[in-house]
Amino acid sequence: MDGSTLEAMRTALRGPVVAPEDSGYDRARTVYNAMIDRRPAAIVGCRDAGDVMDAVDFVRDRGLEVAVRGGGHSGPGLCLVDDGVTIDLSPMSWARVDPVTKTAQVGGGSTLGDLDHAAHAFGLATPAGIMSTTGVGGLTLGGGHGHLTRKYGLTADNLLSADVVLADGGFVTASEKEHADLFWALRGGGGNFGVVTSFTFELHPVHTVGLGITLWTLDRIQDVLRWYRDFLPQAPDDLNGFFAVLAVPPGPPFPEEIHGQKMGGVVWCWTGDVDRVEEVLAPVRDAGPPAFHFTAPMPYPAVQSMFDQLIPAGLQWYWRGDFFDRITDDAIGVHAKYAEGLPTDLSTMHLYPIDAAAHRIGADDTAWAYRDAVWSGVIGGIDPDPANAEVIRQWAVDYWEELHPHSMGGAYVNFIGADESQERVRATYRDHYDRLAAIKRTYDPQNLFHANQNIEPAPAG
């Protein structure tokens, strides 16, 4: 991008345009995963939908590469593109709640913390992730699961409408009644179809929840996983619990004597009567005596933000995921093996439940193609030291390759790694892929928005 093109962009747009020679450039190109080191020719901070429309027109008409950044949590760094333009929605970070209709509208650059805080004031929430720093946009467009999924479904299941800037620079609102094909695609199809400048969600009564954390030593991990795979799918919808392998963090509520120990455990979230949380979790002892068990009533936004300081922005990340409809005995053996070989204190594996309410949506009602999956798994190699980048990547790849034969074949699109094949994208969308490709042809026939887990436009005719 030459100087005259850059100045033309600065003249056309209201928000800041940051280039490599500007003092704030390195800060502007920084994303959550420090393993990503891409250098856009310009980063455009869009203040409103008008800015986004102008930015899209600008990059399209000049044949520039473009990426879209919401919260910047993309593990593969798909929100940045070398030598192109990043449309940065972070200035559009806001949330408005209507307590009468129990809905929330949030800007395209908002984080889950923005949404959680605004809704909590009215005793409301919508299911969305497990960290408050995650961007609403990327999470929702990928489908979105979290602490409330068994009770209220996926994030995308609670999306009522979306304002979208299209590849031709036009602006539409997509919902069940308007641009219904686009609305279908946005609920799980990723960032392939346009730039979403605002989302409107259905909210549900959630205020104080029962938090639980139960940990077992690694010698019990196989018994625990066999118990977990049977217990949770039969539990009330009010109980969510994701299984993790981890090194115990050094701090409360964990006693000092277990800090740093490798363990397996479950993080529980109970949305029923908080006085019943211990009663509901009494069966955890059926898996064997826990090394640690903790419960407490907690405001929902506090649960959503409790991992923020443990895994802040600026760490090295490499992840891969898969969907599972069962946890086989052979898969349990793989989990036990790689838990023993956890390469760093922050590296982990999570199994998120995506059953109960998420199973009550029709298989073809949204672009999310795995309504028959029971767990969404992710293997994350994490460490602050760039010198360990290859170590954590190799552990995650080896773990995934050994576990993948026990999976359903596809993955939550936000858990697909940067170096995985296009076949993984097709496997993720199953027989929805052709419909998504046809919708892509309608709304983005030239594939302007391809800095993503890309769905190529179907051929014309």
Side-chain angles (χ1 to χ4, degrees), residues 265-302:
V266 183
V267 177
W268 308 100
C269 180
W270 167 252
T271 52
D273 180 353
V274 292
D275 293 335
R276 292 190 57 223
V277 65
E278 277 292 353
E279 171 194 339
V280 171
L281 292 180
V284 300
R285 289 166 178 81
D286 295 345
F292 175 79
H293 180 67
F294 168 86
T295 62
M298 190 172 288
Y300 178 67

Side-chain angles (χ1 to χ4, degrees), residues 8-9 13 46 49 102 114 137 151 155 169 193 211 227 238 264 301 328 338 343 384 394 396 412-413:
M9 181 177 286
L13 302 175
C46 294
K102 293 184 173 58
D114 297 322
K151 180 67 173 178
T155 310
F193 306 96
L211 170 70
W227 167 81
D238 279 306
T328 66
Y338 284 91
Q394 195 60 54
Y412 176 40
V413 69

